[in-house]
Amino acid sequence: MNKFTFLVTILFSSAILTFAQESGIRGKVTDPATGLGIPDVTIEIDEVAETYQTSPDGTFHIPVPSDVDLVITLTHPDYQLQSIRIRTDALMVQDLGNIYLMTPIPIFEDIPTIAFLDTDDESGVAAQNIIGLMGASQDIYLSESAFKFGAMRYAVRGLDSEYTHTYINGVKFNDQIRGRFNFSMIGGLNDVVRMRDVTTATTPSRYGFGDLGGVSHINTRASAYNPGGRVSTSYTNRNYKLRGMATYSTGLMQNNVAVTGSVGYRWADEGYVEGTFYNSFGYFASIEKIFGANNQHAIAFTTLGAPTQRGQQAPSFQEVYDLTGNNHYNPNWGYQNGEKRNARVATSFDPAAILSHNWKINNTTDLTTGLGFRYNQYGTTALNWQNAADPRPDYYRYLPNYQNTQEMRDLYTHVWQTDPSVRQVNWHRLYDVNRDRERGIYMVEERHSDLMELTMNSLFRTRPQSNQIVSVGLELRKSKGMHY
């Protein structure tokens, strides 16, 4: 063998050895709303001093040390920061597939909650048309209208909330009976419902086929949260007075498992309307496992709920507002044993459990399947009576204008304006009447509207060409309504 051949052999062998000792990662950073790659995303790796950027189609290919744990951070001015923890494979290039970056969402913390978190079935008013928590998005008009007009039951574009489909981890949670999403099920869980994809009107969505009001998808997969914890407290003079939240996420650990948990509590002994109160606890837990060749599969389990109890306000007559000098007069309450008691108390609890599977078949094709279970329990109490006088303090026969003579009208007016007990529910009298009659003439009933629902969603999505998207989906649902 001559010297030239020997030198070429040595150099070639060294190159092969060097290449074999290195590993790399590749993938594509994608906008989940459009399915297109995101160019110029800055990629930083804790074990690599150099920074990288994605190509015009969103792809990247980076050499990294083999058989080590790495934290990859992706930043872009138009998207939320995303951190991914991986363990590199030896002697091969690892394909991370599609990495989705979420658009930033302004979150308004000062959100009214007592008056319209869920629907008052008795009045027939759909009280959850729009609220700041879920209406806030990168759409400027939607953000402003959600925060400023939510308390007025403002409907975006004149559409009721049943025309907006809401998904959690690929599972649709608009109930089958009313067709609406129950926002109270995620009450107080702001920290873990921030990551959302919002599609307006009938624009094609990654998670469903949409409707006139669009599609909103909440991502609660544990690996999507940055590792670390957060504790916050807030005080307000609006509907609830005190709120506390605590959230912790492990991020994706070495065993490709991620865990996230959050709890929240909101409380008010009395709102700005006399006799009302608010008491709500929220919980959230999510665990996810990523596995398979090139981490193509991910299974996530999420459970959440927010048991809530609140004292309600009731409408009255203009005559009563004039007599009391208070447009916030509330006839639902009265003193019992020195404490305020409200006759109209709404209790809601909508626990949910979601099991989802994501399969990245390749860079252009994926399959998302989810199974969701919920048991929505909603009840509201009210006074009822049989063969007895109406116990409501603002009953029209107890008002001055109903009286026959001017003398009686003046007397009733004087009593209404000087005696606060006349304006309130007389709980002691109701108990005394029941004792005298030796049976329940007056009672407090609870009217229930419950729903048990099981939903399965599966969506296959592929991009045969750069300007084509094909989506095929299946939805199965079984619901049981209980009203009594």
Side-chain angles (χ1 to χ4, degrees):
M1 181 182 296
N2 56 38
K3 294 181 179 180
F4 177 78
T5 304
F6 178 78
L7 180 60
V8 170
T9 303
I10 292 298
L11 292 176
F12 184 73
S13 301
S14 299
I16 293 177
L17 183 61
T18 301
F19 179 80
Q21 290 176 343
E22 292 183 355
S23 65
I25 56 173
R26 66 185 177 194
K28 183 177 182 179
V29 183
T30 306
D31 186 316
T34 64
L36 301 176
I38 306 173
D40 301 324
V41 177
T42 301
I43 302 176
E44 298 178 285
I45 304 175
D46 55 0
E47 299 292 334
V48 179
E50 187 177 355
T51 60
Y52 300 87
Q53 285 192 326
T54 56
S55 61
D57 64 351
T59 59
F60 62 87
H61 188 171
I62 303 173
V64 294
S66 62
D67 200 25
V68 295
D69 294 320
L70 299 178
V71 175
I72 305 170
T73 303
L74 302 94
T75 56
H76 190 281
D78 296 331
Y79 295 86
Q80 294 184 24
L81 181 144
Q82 174 79 290
S83 293
I84 304 173
R85 184 186 296 273
I86 67 168
R87 184 171 185 84
T88 60
D89 292 327
L91 310 180
M92 67 175 292
V93 176
Q94 188 172 354
D95 189 355
L96 302 182
N98 286 322
I99 301 174
Y100 299 104
L101 293 189
M102 306 296 178
T103 52
I105 300 171
I107 296 296
F108 301 102
E109 301 293 348
D110 193 9
I111 302 169
T113 52
I114 289 183
F116 51 91
L117 267 180
D118 46 30
T119 300
D120 189 344
D121 291 324
E122 180 186 358
S123 64
V125 177
Q128 55 176 21
N129 290 335
I130 180 171
I131 65 170
L133 176 64
M134 297 304 299
S137 75
Q138 61 270 29
D139 186 304
I140 297 176
Y141 168 76
L142 188 59
S143 299
E144 291 299 309
S145 60
F147 182 60
K148 294 182 178 179
F149 297 115
M152 303 174 190
R153 298 187 172 100
Y154 176 74
V156 179
R157 301 180 181 91
L159 298 171
D160 203 352
S161 58
E162 63 186 282
Y163 295 101
T164 300
H165 296 176
T166 301
Y167 291 76
I168 301 178
N169 289 359
V171 179
K172 184 179 176 182
F173 271 87
N174 289 54
D175 70 64
Q176 192 166 219
I177 295 179
R178 297 180 306 158
R180 301 182 177 94
F181 177 75
N182 182 20
F183 290 102
S184 65
M185 72 183 297
I186 55 174
L189 299 174
N190 301 46
D191 284 349
V192 290
V193 296
R194 295 175 182 268
M195 293 182 292
R196 295 187 298 113
D197 301 325
V198 178
T199 304
T200 58
T202 55
T203 304
S205 169
R206 179 177 182 81
Y207 301 97
F209 296 98
D211 207 330
L212 295 176
V215 173
S216 179
H217 179 265
I218 306 173
N219 180 12
T220 63
R221 292 171 53 186
S223 65
Y225 301 96
N226 292 328
R230 177 185 178 187
V231 177
S232 64
T233 59
S234 57
Y235 179 84
T236 177
N237 61 354
R238 296 187 69 170
N239 284 340
Y240 60 80
K241 291 185 178 180
L242 183 65
R243 184 184 70 179
M245 291 191 298
T247 303
Y248 180 77
S249 179
T250 64
L252 194 62
M253 298 180 288
Q254 294 183 4
N255 57 358
N256 278 349
V257 173
V259 179
T260 300
S262 181
V263 292
Y265 183 71
R266 295 172 295 169
W267 170 85
D269 58 343
E270 188 171 55
Y272 65 87
V273 176
E274 195 170 15
T276 62
F277 64 91
Y278 192 81
N279 190 14
S280 176
F281 171 76
Y283 66 89
F284 170 90
S286 178
I287 183 170
E288 182 178 7
K289 171 68 175 179
I290 298 177
F291 61 96
N294 298 324
N295 294 330
Q296 288 180 302
H297 297 273
I299 291 182
F301 175 78
T302 299
T303 181
L304 54 86
T308 302
Q309 189 179 57
R310 57 185 176 88
Q312 294 182 301
Q313 179 189 12
S316 190
F317 304 100
Q318 185 62 49
E319 181 182 0
V320 176
Y321 298 143
D322 294 338
L323 288 169
T324 60
N326 179 16
N327 287 332
H328 295 303
Y329 166 76
N330 183 15
N332 285 342
W333 69 278
Y335 283 100
Q336 182 178 4
N337 299 326
E339 297 183 359
K340 293 180 179 179
R341 178 181 177 183
N342 195 314
R344 295 287 299 275
V345 177
T347 304
S348 63
F349 184 30
D350 192 359
I354 308 152
L355 181 65
S356 61
H357 173 253
N358 294 79
W359 180 17
K360 297 179 182 178
I361 301 174
N362 53 49
N363 287 337
T364 60
T365 306
D366 57 75
L367 176 66
T368 301
T369 303
L371 183 67
F373 174 79
R374 65 187 299 187
Y375 185 18
N376 183 8
Q377 305 159 69
Y378 180 83
T380 178
T381 62
L383 283 172
N384 202 349
W385 57 97
Q386 183 180 19
N387 297 326
D390 195 316
R392 295 172 296 180
D394 60 344
Y395 181 51
Y396 75 97
R397 291 176 178 266
Y398 306 152
L399 301 180
N401 282 343
Y402 179 77
Q403 310 311 314
N404 294 325
T405 64
Q406 185 61 43
E407 181 181 3
M408 291 299 295
R409 284 195 288 269
D410 292 341
L411 176 61
Y412 271 69
T413 300
H414 176 73
V415 172
W416 264 92
Q417 293 178 341
T418 59
D419 186 0
S421 64
V422 174
R423 313 171 190 171
Q424 302 162 3
V425 177
N426 192 335
W427 289 105
H428 292 290
R429 175 182 170 275
L430 303 184
Y431 277 85
D432 289 341
V433 171
N434 283 351
R435 292 191 192 96
D436 293 340
R437 300 284 186 91
E438 296 182 351
R439 64 190 183 94
I441 302 297
Y442 294 104
M443 65 208 78
V444 176
E445 64 182 12
E446 185 170 16
R447 305 160 186 173
H448 264 267
S449 179
D450 299 347
L451 173 68
M452 185 181 298
E453 196 165 61
L454 181 66
T455 306
M456 193 279 286
N457 284 93
S458 185
L459 184 66
F460 175 83
R461 180 183 172 96
T462 185
R463 182 184 292 275
Q465 297 183 22
S466 60
N467 62 343
Q468 295 179 350
I469 298 176
V470 178
S471 297
V472 180
L474 174 67
E475 177 180 323
L476 302 175
R477 179 174 298 185
K478 182 178 182 181
S479 303
K480 180 182 179 181
M482 295 157 280
H483 311 277
Y484 56 94

